[in-house]
Amino acid sequence: CCRPYHRGEGLPTTPEALMRSRYSAYAKGLAAYILETTDPNGPMHQEDRESWREGVARFGQDYDFVGLRILEQGFGDDEGHVRFVAHLEQSGHDASFEEHSRFVRRDGRWLYHGTLDDVG
């Protein structure tokens, strides 16, 4: 489902679609896609792109991506959110986490902005 996005053959039309495509990009080691779909005005953006790319690639290599569960999502014209649980394992141990993410649409394209603070 995400291959066309990863290949640049289309754009995710909702924050949830972008979330799913980013999860699978981490799992497949597509660090460039993660960088390209991160809001340059958000807190997760890094100026040192090479170091950032290496960190993203290392994260993808260090974990096994077991599944993604969407808990809730919603969006308007230019902003949206997705609450999800990313099921991960590292060296056979559960490393899953929950996140409530904010997404923004810039120039018609959804981008990951960062996390919302209401997940403990």
Side-chain angles (χ1 to χ4, degrees):
C1 70
C2 299
R3 185 177 297 159
Y5 304 145
H6 296 158
R7 291 182 174 177
E9 297 168 353
L11 296 174
T13 58
T14 66
E16 180 181 346
L18 178 59
M19 179 68 249
R20 290 181 183 282
S21 71
R22 285 174 57 90
Y23 179 88
S24 64
Y26 274 109
K28 294 181 173 293
L30 303 174
Y33 184 80
I34 299 300
L35 275 61
E36 292 167 11
T37 58
T38 300
D39 182 9
N41 297 325
M44 304 308 288
H45 185 268
Q46 297 178 25
E47 291 300 320
D48 182 348
R49 291 184 65 83
E50 184 57 27
S51 176
W52 184 18
R53 187 197 63 71
E54 289 172 3
V56 168
R58 196 169 31 260
F59 179 82
Q61 293 167 355
D62 288 348
Y63 292 89
D64 293 319
F65 293 76
V66 179
L68 178 68
R69 185 167 46 106
I70 304 297
L71 303 175
E72 70 176 80
Q73 61 91 29
F75 63 97
D77 290 339
D78 295 317
E79 192 164 325
H81 70 97
V82 178
R83 183 185 302 269
F84 65 92
V85 176
H87 296 282
L88 307 176
E89 290 184 356
Q90 184 179 37
S91 302
H93 299 290
D94 182 36
S96 300
F97 64 92
E98 181 178 331
E99 181 175 312
H100 195 180
S101 298
R102 178 177 175 225
F103 295 84
V104 295
R105 187 171 10 209
R106 300 197 191 286
D107 300 321
R109 184 175 181 209
W110 284 107
L111 299 169
Y112 172 76
H113 180 81
T115 62
L116 295 169
D117 294 329
D118 62 352
V119 174

